[in-house]
Amino acid sequence: MAEGDSADPEGAGSRRVKGVREATVRTDSPTLDHGASTRLVVSLAEVGLGSLAEVGGKNASLGEMIRRLKPQGVRVPEGFATTAAAYRLFLRANGLGPALERALSGIDGSDLEALRAAGQACRELVLAARLPEELIEAMQSAYQAMAGPDGQPRAVAVRSSATAEDLPEASFAGQQETFLHVVGEAALLEACQRCYASLFTDRAISYRQHHGFRHQDVALSIGVQEMVRSDLAAAGVMFTLDTETGFRDVVLLTAAYGLGENVVQGAVNPDEWLIHKPTLEEGYAPLISRRLGSKALRLVYGDAAAGEGPAVRNESVPEEERRRWALTREEVLTLARWACRIERHYSEQRGTPTPMDLEWAKDGLSGELFILQARPETVESRRGGAVLRSWHLREPGGEPIVTGRAIGSSVSGGLARVINDPSEIERFQPGELLITRRTDPDWEPILKKAKGVVTDQGGRTCHAAIIAREMGITAIVGTGEATRRLQDGQPITVSCCEGDEGHVYPGLLAFEVREQHLEDLPRTRTRVLMNVGNPEEAFQLAAIPCDGVGLARLEFIIANQIKVHPLALLTPERVASSREREEIARLTSGHDSPTEYYVDLLSQGMARIAAAFHPKPVILRFSDFKSNEYARLLGGAAFEPKEENPMIGWRGASRYASPAFREAFALECRALRRVREEMGLVNVIPMVPFCRTPEEADRVLAEMAGQGLVRGEKGLQVYVMCEMPSNVVAAEAFAERFDGFSIGSNDLTQLTLGLDRDSSLVAELFDERHPAVKTMIRLAIETAHRCGRKIGICGQAPSDYPDFARFLVELGIDSISLNPDAVLSTRLRIAEIEGELVGGVKQRDELTTSLAK
C-alpha cells in the first residue's frame, strides 16, 4: 500500500471516544414535548448518513467516514457531537424560541440595518442564556473520555453542523462558526454556546432566507474532534472535480502551512495539484498539474491554553519554506486516493454520482494525514449539460492591470469598488465589482449585489471562489495587489475567459456570450476531432462532444508556459544576455534542474490535454517551431540560425536527429514518456511534423527509441504529418514506418502550389480547394487506406467550405480535426452528407435490383 493507505488501529485518528455518557431526555421532561427518549451527546462513531436530522450534515458525514471508510485506510479524527435535541433543549430550557421568532419575524434580507439589528438581538439572547445541566454533564463526560494517557485535557476543534447543512439545495459552507485549539472544559462549553449563537449571524440569517429554509426548522449540532496538529505541518481543501469547469475526472487539491482555515477563508495563496482519477485508480501517479503557491502565512496555536491571547494566530512563513511544496508527491497521491474512495462511497449511498468537497490536514507530530470534513459539492456538479456557454472578448484588452486565478470562465465589466471591511457595505452599489483583500461569510450580503469580485488573497478553493461559483458571478482571486493597483470607481473589465489566469483590464471592453446546444447530436462514421493548443482550456473544451483530439500543439506550452529555449536550459553558459540569464534562473527556481523545469511543464501541459479527453485518442504533435520562432524564446537567439525562408528550413523532423538539437528533442521524449508511463495516459499518440523523407523518419524513430519510446511497444503508435508532396508520393514508404497520417492542409497547399502562405503578395492564390491540392489529398487518402493506415485532416477548410467537407467524406477520410468553435456545426454537416451518401447508395442498389428482376 502507498504511504497513508493502511488502516492504523493504534494511530491518533483511530482512538475511539469511549465512555461517552449518552444523556437522554424523556418525554415527561417539561422542556420537551416530543420523542420517547432523545440523546444529547453521541460518539461520532455511532452516527452516519442516516443521522442527518440528529447531528446535521457535517457530523453525520464524519460518522459515516469513521464507520465505513476507516477500514479502507481513510483516517478521520474521532470525537463526539451534541445533537439537534440538545440544541432544542437549550432553547426550551431558556424560553428562547418565542423571543428568537419575534426578533426574526418579517426580516427582509436585503434590509441590511434591520438584518444587523435582528442578528445582534438573537446572538445576545443566546449568549446570555445558560446551558442545561444535563447537557453540560454529558459534554464533560465525553470530553474527559478524550483525555490522553497523562490525563491532560486534549486540544479540540469545535465545529458547527446545522441540521439543514450540506443538503443538495445549499452548501452552508462557513455559515456557522468553527473554533480551533479549544482546551479545557470551561473553554469547550463557551465555544459550544458561541456555536449556538453563530446560527444567528447576519450572514447565516440571510443565507437561510435566500435558500428558503425556515429559521425554526434549522437546529445546530456541535462536533468536537481531537485537533490534528496541522499547525506543525499543513492543511487544505480537496474537490473531486475541477471547480471551474465541472470536469469530473480530476481531484483538485490545495495545501498551505498550518491550520486549514487560512485556505478555506482565502487568507493565503496555496499550492495546488490536479490528479487524474481514472489512471490514479489504475495504480499510476497522474499528477497532471501543479502550481506552487506563495503560502505567506501559517495559522498556528496561540496561547489560549495558558489563559493568554487568542486560540490561534498567524505567523509569517520564511521565504525558503514558501518556495517548497507543502506536501510530498506520495502525500498528494494518498489524499487523492482517499478522495476517490470517499466519492465512490457517497455516490453509492446516494444512488447518483456525487462529487465531493473535502477538508484535510496533516499532523506534524505523527506525520499522518486526516480527512476533517466531507460534503457533496453543490455548484458545478448540478449544472445542466444541454447548453455549452462561453464568453469571448470582442477586442484585445491590452496589458492587464492585475492578474490572478480565474474562477469560472465568464466576463464582467463595471465600476471597481475597493472595500476593506464588510461594514462599508453602504458604499457598494448593485452591479459594481468588489475589490478586497479576501472575503469570508460576512461579505455575502455585498457579494449578492456584486457583478464580480477580485481579491488579493486566496486560491481556487477559498471562500470567495466557492461563493462566486454558487452565485454565478465573475471572480479572480490571489492577485496579490488588486486593492493597491485598482482605483475606487475605476471602470474595469474582469475576464476569466482566457484560461486559468484571470485578467483585469482597464475600461469596459466589449464581449459576447455564445451558446451551443449539445442535445441529440448525431453519430457519424467520420470521426470529428478537435484541435487544442492551450492546456488550460482543455477541461472546458472536453465538454464539447467530439471523438478526441486530432492536433495538440506543443508550441503553445513552450511559448506561453515554459518561455525558454530548451538549449538555453541545457547549455545556459551560451546565453549572452545577463537579463535573460536572470529571468531563466527565476523561472526555473524550485525545480531540481533547468531541464527538469522544461520536462515538468511540458509533461503537465501534455497530460492536461490527454486527461481532459481520456480515453479518447489525443494526437500530440512534437514541436514545430521555425527558427525565427524559436529565436524569440528566452535565450533562443544564441542557438538559432538566421534563415531566408524558415517556413521550409530547419523545422520539424530535421531538427530531432540533428546534433545541434538532438538533446532538446530528448526533453520532449522524456516528457511524453512521463505522461504515458508514470501517469498512465496511453491515449497520447505522438506525431512527427514536417518529415521530408522516409530516411529522415528512420532517424527520428531511432532517436525516440533511444529515449525509451519504441513504436509498437507498450501500445505506442506514432503518426506523421502529411504536409508535403513527398509525403504523398512516398506514402507507401511512410506507411511502413508510421501508424497513421494527418493531412496538414496549410503546408500541403503552399508546397503543392509553390507559394509562401506568409506572403501577402500571393495570398489570393492560396486555396485548399485547388484541383492540384485535392488531387494530392485524394492520393494520400487512397494510399493510406490501401496500406491499412488511418488518415485524417487538421484544418479549417472542412468547416469553411461545405463542398470541401463533402469531398473528404466522399473519399472516406477517417477523421476531420477542427478548431473548437466549428466542431458542432461541422458534425451536423458531416452527418447530413453521410446521410445523403448512404441514401444515394441505397437508392442505386434498389434500382439495380429492380432492373435485374
Side-chain angles (χ1 to χ4, degrees):
M1 288 188 179
E3 177 184 343
D5 272 2
S6 60
D8 179 17
E10 299 301 322
S14 61
R15 281 190 292 271
R16 180 168 177 152
V17 180
K18 298 178 179 177
V20 174
R21 185 162 69 88
E22 292 189 358
T24 60
V25 180
R26 299 192 59 79
T27 53
D28 56 0
S29 167
T31 60
L32 285 179
D33 58 6
H34 63 281
S37 65
T38 310
R39 299 184 294 186
L40 301 180
V41 172
V42 60
S43 169
L44 288 175
E46 297 174 11
V47 298
L49 293 180
S51 310
L52 195 69
E54 184 178 29
V55 294
K58 187 178 298 180
N59 289 333
S61 185
L62 289 169
E64 180 76 12
M65 289 190 291
I66 290 170
R67 292 170 58 209
R68 306 290 295 277
L69 294 172
K70 178 179 166 184
Q72 299 182 37
V74 178
R75 295 194 194 93
V76 180
E78 295 203 24
F80 66 90
T82 68
T83 63
Y87 170 76
R88 295 191 175 100
L89 171 64
F90 168 70
L91 294 187
R92 293 167 191 262
N94 290 279
L96 293 178
L100 291 171
E101 195 167 341
R102 284 194 299 271
L104 297 172
S105 178
I107 288 295
D108 180 358
S110 62
D111 186 342
L112 300 180
E113 286 302 321
L115 183 63
R116 282 178 182 168
Q120 181 68 27
C122 291
R123 293 192 297 274
E124 289 176 354
L125 284 169
V126 173
L127 292 172
R130 289 178 58 83
L131 294 174
E133 283 302 318
E134 54 264 60
L135 177 56
I136 291 175
E137 291 174 8
M139 292 178 66
Q140 287 173 332
S141 172
Y143 182 59
Q144 290 163 9
M146 296 178 68
D150 57 2
Q152 293 298 309
R154 288 196 182 277
V156 293
V158 181
R159 305 179 187 275
S160 305
S161 178
T163 56
E165 194 170 5
D166 302 329
L167 294 177
E169 291 79 11
S171 73
F172 270 76
Q175 293 305 311
Q176 284 77 47
E177 297 291 354
T178 289
F179 300 97
L180 303 177
H181 190 214
V182 176
V183 182
E185 292 178 9
L188 173 62
L189 296 174
E190 179 187 352
C192 289
Q193 193 153 353
R194 290 170 66 189
C195 282
Y196 283 158
S198 74
L199 198 57
F200 301 99
T201 59
D202 301 355
R203 66 183 185 249
I205 295 168
S206 174
Y207 194 89
R208 288 196 295 274
Q209 286 191 324
H210 179 73
H211 288 277
F213 292 99
R214 297 197 312 161
H215 300 294
Q216 59 267 40
D217 290 342
V218 178
L220 196 78
S221 168
I222 299 167
V224 179
Q225 291 176 285
E226 181 181 343
M227 281 291 294
V228 175
R229 292 300 305 270
S230 60
D231 60 306
L232 304 176
V237 174
M238 284 192 292
F239 286 86
T240 61
L241 49 60
D242 178 61
T243 53
E244 308 318 312
T245 62
F247 180 66
R248 297 288 186 93
D249 281 352
V250 291
V251 172
L252 168 64
L253 169 61
T254 60
Y257 297 123
L259 303 173
E261 292 302 300
N262 273 351
V263 178
V264 174
Q265 299 298 341
V268 294
N269 298 333
D271 296 340
E272 180 180 306
W273 295 264
L274 283 169
I275 306 96
H276 185 234
K277 292 191 292 189
T279 51
L280 177 72
E281 302 245 60
E282 292 172 359
Y284 292 97
L287 299 175
I288 63 172
S289 176
R290 62 176 185 161
R291 184 188 296 263
L292 187 69
S294 57
K295 308 183 296 295
L297 297 175
R298 177 178 13 231
L299 190 64
V300 299
Y301 284 6
D303 299 318
E308 301 175 3
V312 294
R313 61 180 175 82
N314 265 313
E315 65 180 24
S316 180
V317 176
E319 188 64 36
E320 184 180 346
E321 279 188 76
R322 298 184 194 186
R323 291 196 294 266
R324 294 201 297 262
W325 298 96
L327 290 173
T328 67
R329 180 174 180 269
E330 273 308 309
E331 287 168 343
V332 170
L333 293 171
T334 293
L335 286 169
R337 292 187 193 103
W338 289 3
C340 292
R341 292 171 197 169
I342 294 168
E343 180 184 53
R344 185 163 53 248
H345 177 76
Y346 279 72
S347 298
E348 291 170 355
Q349 295 302 304
R350 294 162 64 99
T352 185
T354 304
M356 299 297 291
D357 171 357
L358 310 165
E359 293 181 27
W360 64 270
K362 177 183 177 181
D363 192 294
L365 296 177
S366 68
E368 294 174 315
L369 298 166
F370 294 86
I371 299 296
L372 303 182
Q373 290 190 46
R375 53 180 167 251
E377 195 274 344
T378 59
V379 180
E380 287 297 334
S381 58
R382 301 210 323 266
R383 293 200 192 280
V387 177
L388 183 69
R389 185 173 291 108
S390 59
W391 282 257
H392 304 267
L393 293 175
R394 286 180 173 171
E395 54 187 309
E399 186 69 23
I401 307 171
V402 293
T403 63
R405 300 307 314 277
I407 304 303
S409 58
S410 65
V411 179
S412 292
L415 299 181
R417 189 61 62 203
V418 183
I419 294 182
N420 294 316
D421 190 271
S423 62
E424 303 177 62
I425 190 170
E426 295 84 1
R427 295 180 48 227
F428 196 87
Q429 300 301 312
E432 293 182 333
L433 294 157
L434 173 64
I435 316 298
T436 190
R437 290 190 298 274
R438 65 183 177 94
T439 71
D440 58 35
D442 288 331
W443 288 87
E444 288 173 27
I446 293 180
L447 291 170
K448 288 177 183 175
K449 298 162 53 175
K451 190 180 288 185
V453 57
V454 181
T455 68
D456 290 345
Q457 302 169 345
R460 289 171 60 185
T461 57
C462 72
H463 174 268
I466 290 171
I467 296 302
R469 293 185 200 102
E470 191 167 286
M471 294 183 175
I473 62 176
T474 308
I476 297 176
V477 300
T479 64
E481 54 184 1
T483 55
R484 183 172 61 84
R485 296 287 306 278
L486 298 172
Q487 303 301 310
D488 195 55
Q490 177 182 6
I492 59 171
T493 298
V494 180
S495 170
C496 295
C497 71
E498 300 164 271
D500 278 1
E501 187 173 78
H503 303 117
V504 179
Y505 296 110
L508 301 178
L509 302 180
F511 64 91
E512 61 180 332
V513 182
R514 301 174 190 165
E515 292 188 348
Q516 292 179 298
H517 293 268
L518 307 181
E519 66 272 4
D520 300 327
L521 288 173
R523 296 183 62 85
T524 57
R525 183 207 64 80
T526 309
R527 291 187 305 157
V528 180
L529 307 177
M530 189 184 299
N531 301 332
V532 179
N534 184 354
E536 294 180 355
E537 297 177 348
F539 292 166
Q540 184 175 3
L541 295 176
I544 301 173
C546 68
D547 299 309
V549 175
L551 177 62
R553 305 179 181 94
L554 293 191
E555 294 82 34
F556 185 95
I557 304 170
I558 297 169
N560 293 277
Q561 295 174 357
I562 297 173
K563 302 179 181 180
V564 185
H565 195 291
L567 294 174
L569 299 171
L570 286 158
T571 54
E573 66 278 3
R574 290 180 57 186
V575 179
S577 167
S578 59
R579 181 194 63 79
E580 287 193 333
R581 288 198 304 271
E582 289 173 3
E583 179 62 11
I584 292 170
R586 184 189 68 80
L587 288 170
T588 58
S589 65
H591 287 78
D592 293 340
S593 67
T595 54
E596 175 56 25
Y597 163 80
Y598 192 91
V599 173
D600 184 30
L601 266 64
L602 192 59
S603 64
Q604 287 185 51
M606 292 177 177
R608 189 153 175 164
I609 298 173
F613 294 88
H614 180 274
K616 298 172 184 175
V618 171
I619 300 172
L620 189 147
R621 188 180 69 188
F622 285 125
S623 63
D624 192 25
F625 279 130
K626 290 75 175 174
S627 54
N628 59 324
E629 294 167 336
Y630 258 126
R632 289 196 286 268
L633 297 173
L634 281 171
F639 303 96
E640 294 299 325
K642 295 188 183 303
E643 297 184 282
E644 290 297 326
N645 192 346
M647 187 72 73
I648 54 173
W650 195 38
R651 59 175 287 199
S654 62
R655 282 180 173 261
Y656 304 156
S658 166
F661 197 79
R662 177 182 289 124
E663 290 183 73
F665 179 62
L667 300 182
E668 294 183 34
C669 293
R670 280 174 54 190
L672 177 61
R673 190 174 178 186
R674 181 176 298 181
V675 170
R676 288 180 55 88
E677 298 182 12
E678 292 184 22
M679 303 185 194
L681 292 163
V682 294
N683 59 318
V684 175
I685 300 171
M687 181 163 65
V688 178
F690 222 75
C691 188
R692 294 176 170 91
T693 67
E695 294 75 23
E696 191 171 61
D698 291 335
R699 291 192 289 272
V700 172
L701 291 170
E703 290 293 330
M704 292 177 63
Q707 297 299 322
L709 294 170
V710 181
R711 176 180 168 238
E713 291 187 4
K714 300 179 182 178
L716 178 65
Q717 299 182 64
V718 184
Y719 280 25
V720 67
M721 291 289 294
C722 180
E723 51 193 343
M724 290 173 281
S726 63
N727 298 137
V728 179
V729 174
E732 290 187 3
F734 281 105
E736 293 174 359
R737 292 159 171 81
F738 295 102
D739 300 283
F741 296 86
S742 179
I743 299 169
S745 58
N746 287 339
D747 276 340
L748 185 59
T749 300
Q750 75 163 345
L751 294 173
T752 299
L753 299 181
L755 54 86
D756 182 351
R757 60 187 168 97
D758 282 348
S759 171
S760 60
L761 298 175
V762 292
E764 73 279 2
L765 300 176
F766 187 93
D767 187 353
E768 299 100 322
R769 297 169 297 170
H770 190 281
V773 179
K774 292 175 75 172
T775 297
M776 282 290 180
I777 291 173
R778 177 182 289 106
L779 287 172
I781 294 173
E782 291 173 351
T783 307
H785 285 166
R786 188 171 64 252
C787 296
R789 294 291 183 253
K790 292 181 179 179
I791 185 166
I793 189 170
C794 50
Q796 283 305 100
S799 63
D800 292 340
Y801 309 115
D803 60 324
F804 194 73
R806 175 176 288 274
F807 164 73
L808 295 170
V809 173
E810 287 176 346
L811 287 174
I813 196 165
D814 295 296
S815 64
I816 295 176
S817 191
L818 306 141
N819 288 343
D821 59 352
V823 166
L824 295 183
S825 60
T826 306
R827 177 183 284 277
L828 294 173
R829 183 175 299 132
I830 290 172
E832 183 180 337
I833 294 169
E834 289 182 350
E836 292 173 2
L837 293 175
V838 170
V841 170
K842 183 178 179 182
Q843 190 175 34
R844 183 198 63 198
D845 291 345
E846 289 175 349
L847 179 60
T848 302
T849 302
S850 175
L851 290 172
K853 289 179 179 179

